[in-house]
Amino acid sequence: MFFSYTASVILLSLAMYGMWYCIRDLWKWWLEPRLVSVPSCSFLIVVRNLDYRVEDLLRYLAHEIERAEVDCDIVVVDVSSDDFTALILERLVGDIPIMKVVMFSEEIRPVSDAIALCRGSVVHVMDLAHRMSIDDFMVAVCGLLRQDYQDVMLKRAAR
């Protein structure tokens, strides 16, 4: 033998470790093609009486869109809010250039009427007024923009 037993074990371990990382990187590269262009998307968000959280949620969404570098726009539909949600949304339109705000009464179907304002080829509808919780919204945004779920789950568990 050319090397001692200890040196042979160490060299073999390092070779296996390097081979594992090489195979893992090739597998990730094969599963995540970078040559495909991501289609533009729109987030249609239905809100009602969320003045205490709407600003944080929309700023978070705008930040994640900017971080993901995806062509997206945000259309927010306020369905008959009787708190300060409408005022906060009007102020946010000036701060977030990719956002549009529409006010509807409860009798009108907000999704079918507001979908015409979305410019993306894929529309993600998030109903914070009736169906979705705020934590589910944050997890869905990360999932849709292909971010790491673990960061969101750690923040969620920290609360």
Side-chain angles (χ1 to χ4, degrees):
M1 282 181 97
F2 189 68
F3 294 112
S4 68
Y5 178 75
T6 307
S8 298
V9 169
I10 291 172
L11 286 175
L12 183 63
S13 300
L14 288 174
M16 289 173 47
Y17 181 74
M19 186 66 91
W20 165 253
Y21 270 95
C22 181
I23 290 171
R24 190 186 71 153
D25 288 343
L26 285 173
W27 185 258
K28 279 177 117 176
W29 174 76
W30 186 67
L31 285 179
E32 298 176 10
R34 307 253 186 235
L35 300 176
V36 177
S37 64
V38 178
S40 62
C41 68
S42 295
F43 285 90
L44 179 60
I45 302 169
V46 181
V47 297
R48 183 169 193 267
N49 294 338
L50 282 177
D51 61 348
Y52 59 97
R53 293 293 301 261
V54 73
E55 183 172 1
D56 295 335
L57 292 175
L58 292 176
R59 288 191 188 276
Y60 173 75
L61 176 61
H63 173 71
E64 290 298 317
I65 288 172
E66 183 179 307
R67 195 172 111 187
E69 297 176 0
V70 179
D71 182 26
C72 289
D73 67 326
I74 305 168
V75 177
V76 180
V77 178
D78 184 16
V79 183
S80 299
S81 291
D82 51 359
D83 59 358
F84 295 114
T85 303
L87 297 173
I88 294 170
L89 290 175
E90 287 176 13
R91 183 173 49 88
L92 283 175
V93 169
D95 293 345
I96 304 172
I98 59 173
M99 189 170 91
K100 298 175 198 168
V101 175
V102 181
M103 309 289 179
F104 283 130
S105 64
E106 271 192 62
E107 295 83 33
I108 298 175
R109 298 183 60 92
V111 174
S112 61
D113 291 341
I115 205 162
L117 299 172
C118 299
R119 64 177 173 82
S121 56
V122 177
V123 178
H124 304 290
V125 179
M126 299 182 175
D127 188 359
L128 290 171
H130 302 290
R131 297 181 184 260
M132 242 179 155
S133 71
I134 292 170
D135 291 334
D136 292 340
F137 173 83
M138 295 178 78
V139 171
V141 165
C142 286
L144 290 171
L145 294 174
R146 301 196 63 143
Q147 300 299 320
D148 191 14
Y149 286 110
Q150 292 177 350
D151 293 339
V152 173
M153 295 311 284
L154 287 174
K155 289 177 189 175
R156 189 175 180 184
R159 285 188 211 149

